[in-house]
Amino acid sequence: MTTRPRLARRSTAFAAIAVAGALTLTACGSDDNSSGTKSNSDSPSSASGSGGGSAAPAAKLDCASGTLAAAGSSAQKNAMDEWIKRYQQKCSGTTVNYNSNGSGAGRQAFFDGQVNLAGSDSALKDDEAPKAAAACKTGSAINLPMVTGPIAVAYNVSGVKDLVLDAKTIAGIFNGSIKTWDAAEIKALNPSAQLPSSPIQTVHRSDKSGTTENFTKYLKAASGGVWTPEAAQDWPTQDGQSAKGSEGVAGVVKQTNGAIGYMETSFAENNSLGIAQINTGASKPVELTPEAAGKAVAAAKITGQGNDLKLQLDYATKAEGAYPILLVTYEIVCEKGTPADKLPLVKSFLTYTSSDEGQAILKDNGYAPLPAEIAGKVRTAVASLS
């Protein structure tokens, strides 16, 4: 099996990173209503995000005291763990609690006023906007892209390395119409590979998942009709094996010769699985790297208005070097209407996460930084929160 550059340099599984004792995971409200701010001279370091465009000047980090409750996406848990640890080191007297209870639960907690920040693997839907606006009371909520999470198509096939797949073939594999590793469709993409005649064992998530939703969005958009189910958080077919969480999927793939599954990149790397290169129709297959994921996000269209930075990803992109299978995690906040005792802390924490330093640490935690142009727009939006 091929050895690939690692997006993450960690010895533990993606979902098992421990953080400093100051970090607690809870969806409860704050028990500290102080809101004083203090300037921290340790400003974010300079580091460039992926993609084109020029980043906005790094904002000065003004520390805010108190406790901030946040909840939502488990896909961004590792990023949040690291951001919270480092932010609390910079801003003593501050506590940020993030409950990685899932995107839907995080959005609902935001609607219910239990948290002032929700992490979500998808932007607010049209029918959710009124609920979010009601929670903000004097304004509306906005979607701020913060984490780029590439999704690996990871495999365990003895003697096979540098596997190349395209959307049609991946869709055929996962819908059960391509059954063996030496199928003509796979051979055509890998003419020099010694492909076995053994059955393909697909593995998918058994639980609701933003990773599943974005993977099926890719299959639906890019497979030319081979994948027919609509994108969904629940895996839509009965084919293949299932396992809970990306950790579970990775474990089954690792233990099963001939298996293939989809998962966040760090799970594939931590389990020494092969990661397929994707033939998008560009001049050469695209390898999963932070830079390649960043190029795909850079090509996304902003469909929100003003400081609402909802993105429309082009899963069928043929842009050179752009890796198309990914999710973007948003931080959902009130553009106006965050309680006065929480606003300084929301702004301070998001100033750090969107900073050059905050984005740069993502590479070491299984993610990719935002493209510089989008990161600059996020910083501008954060600075305008009121």
Side-chain angles (χ1 to χ4, degrees), residues 175-355:
N175 72 13
S177 62
I178 298 176
K179 301 181 181 299
T180 63
W181 281 107
D182 64 348
E185 297 91 339
I186 303 176
K187 279 185 174 181
L189 293 165
N190 301 271
S192 300
Q194 298 298 313
L195 296 167
S197 59
S198 55
I200 297 173
Q201 308 287 338
T202 61
V203 188
H204 59 264
R205 292 279 290 268
S206 62
D207 52 326
K208 285 183 179 290
S209 164
T211 307
T212 295
E213 182 179 15
N214 284 275
F215 182 60
T216 53
K217 281 182 179 179
Y218 163 74
L219 295 178
K220 184 71 172 178
S223 69
V226 176
W227 185 262
T228 57
E230 294 299 323
Q233 292 192 356
D234 290 305
W235 186 254
T237 76
Q238 298 301 312
D239 297 300
Q241 301 181 61
S242 64
K244 185 176 181 180
S246 284
E247 184 175 12
V249 172
V252 173
V253 174
K254 182 176 183 178
Q255 296 166 12
T256 308
N257 186 34
I260 186 170
Y262 60 93
M263 63 200 72
E264 285 82 10
T265 311
S266 58
F267 286 110
E269 293 177 335
N270 289 339
N271 286 277
S272 301
L273 300 176
I275 298 176
Q277 299 175 48
I278 306 301
N279 182 335
T280 63
S283 63
K284 62 180 181 180
V286 181
E287 186 173 355
L288 197 169
T289 66
E291 293 73 21
K295 286 182 179 179
V297 177
K301 179 181 179 182
I302 296 176
T303 59
Q305 301 297 315
N307 286 324
D308 180 21
L309 301 178
K310 179 179 179 180
L311 300 176
Q312 181 179 319
L313 296 173
D314 182 5
Y315 294 99
T317 181
K318 296 181 181 180
E320 292 295 330
Y323 184 84
I325 318 175
L326 71 162
L327 60 81
V328 172
T329 298
Y330 297 87
E331 312 311 331
I332 297 171
V333 294
C334 293
E335 183 173 24
K336 294 182 180 180
T338 298
D341 61 322
K342 300 300 179 185
L343 178 61
L345 185 47
V346 170
K347 293 182 70 171
S348 178
F349 180 62
L350 294 181
T351 294
Y352 177 70
T353 63
S354 62
S355 70

Side-chain angles (χ1 to χ4, degrees), residues 90-134:
K90 292 174 178 291
C91 299
S92 58
T94 298
T95 301
V96 180
N97 297 325
Y98 184 72
N99 182 5
S100 57
N101 56 353
S103 298
R107 293 196 302 272
Q108 188 61 53
F110 183 85
F111 303 153
D112 294 341
Q114 297 175 347
V115 300
N116 299 120
L117 184 155
S120 178
D121 297 339
S122 59
L124 288 167
K125 298 176 174 59
D126 290 343
D127 62 350
E128 293 177 320
K131 300 177 186 178

Side-chain angles (χ1 to χ4, degrees), residues 6-10 43-50 55 58 78-80 82-83 86 90 146-148 289-291 350-372 375-376 379:
R6 295 177 62 83
L7 285 182
R9 296 186 180 93
R10 294 170 296 144
S43 59
S45 62
S46 175
S48 299
S50 301
N78 284 350
M80 273 292 184
E82 191 64 24
W83 280 335
R86 296 194 184 205
K90 292 174 178 291
M146 201 67 70
V147 178
T148 299
T289 66
E291 293 73 21
L350 294 181
T351 294
Y352 177 70
T353 63
S354 62
S355 70
D356 286 337
E357 178 182 320
Q359 288 293 302
I361 67 173
L362 293 176
K363 285 186 178 183
D364 289 334
N365 289 275
Y367 308 99
L370 291 172
R379 293 169 195 157

